Amino acid sequence: MNKKIFIIKTAAELIHTNGYNMTSVSDIMQAAQIGKGQFYYYFESKQELGLTVIDYCFKKWQNRVIKENLATAAPPEEKIDKMLLCAIDIHQKNAGKCGCFFGNLAIELSGHNELFREKIYQMFAEWTKYLTIVIDELRQNTALPIPIQSDILAQSIVAMLEGGIMLMKNKQDITPLINAANMVRKMLGIKERTA
């Protein structure tokens, strides 16, 4: 793996665990086992690295959530169910302790840094856009239990899942996210999962 990518991955892990403001350049250099010269060879500032980390995590998220789930040729019920299972899987792997990388940064930085707010907004906007398309597909075959515009429903689902992730992080227990996922299934008329 090239050094720049290694620094980005290391910074992403630290920022996800500790937050952007609580992660110093020194923390990143220590974890990546690099000196100041190497850090500043690749990045002009912590902010530049932070924005690069968001881009890196956004690409990973696009592959996992959009390309592998919402943008497939599968039936719409399956796409949504796979997206929900994907969210649960991601957060079970870190025992529900870190929360959503993008949600954490949105709360931490949106009111203080327009560049970060805009990049993070792009992720939520893309998620909502693809979810709206899938909900429209679902409507072609099924009368949904909740008669709400697809884009508003998609935005509400994203908000519900992010809220479930926030409660999961606070409780240190995956159950709130599983409950939110099951509520999404119920809202869309998709069979609930029990475990």
Side-chain angles (χ1 to χ4, degrees), residues 31-81:
Q33 299 180 337
I34 58 169
K36 224 176 206 175
Q38 269 188 306
F39 179 88
Y40 288 105
Y41 173 78
Y42 293 111
F43 306 99
E44 288 183 18
S45 64
K46 178 184 170 187
Q47 179 171 294
E48 181 188 348
L49 171 60
L51 293 168
T52 304
V53 165
I54 290 173
D55 289 340
Y56 169 80
C57 291
F58 185 51
K59 279 192 184 348
K60 282 180 54 178
W61 175 88
Q62 281 176 315
N63 285 331
R64 184 120 193 239
V65 176
I66 302 297
K67 290 180 183 170
E68 293 177 12
N69 294 298
L70 295 178
T72 66
E77 299 88 348
E78 186 179 319
K79 292 180 191 185
I80 291 169
D81 196 54

Side-chain angles (χ1 to χ4, degrees), residues 110-127:
S110 289
H112 310 292
N113 188 311
E114 186 60 18
L115 292 172
F116 280 90
R117 187 202 66 76
E118 198 170 295
K119 278 197 179 277
I120 295 162
Y121 172 78
Q122 289 172 5
M123 174 270 181
F124 288 115
E126 182 161 332
W127 189 7

Side-chain angles (χ1 to χ4, degrees), residues 93-149:
K93 286 182 177 164
N94 66 29
K97 293 184 178 173
C98 296
C100 172
F101 177 81
F102 299 101
N104 293 347
L105 287 179
I107 291 167
E108 181 181 4
L109 299 171
S110 289
H112 310 292
N113 188 311
E114 186 60 18
L115 292 172
F116 280 90
R117 187 202 66 76
E118 198 170 295
K119 278 197 179 277
I120 295 162
Y121 172 78
Q122 289 172 5
M123 174 270 181
F124 288 115
E126 182 161 332
W127 189 7
T128 302
K129 178 183 94 176
Y130 276 91
L131 195 49
T132 299
I133 292 166
V134 175
I135 291 169
D136 282 339
E137 292 172 8
L138 188 61
R139 281 186 196 281
Q140 291 174 7
N141 306 325
T142 311
L144 297 184
I146 299 178
I148 299 175
Q149 265 178 242

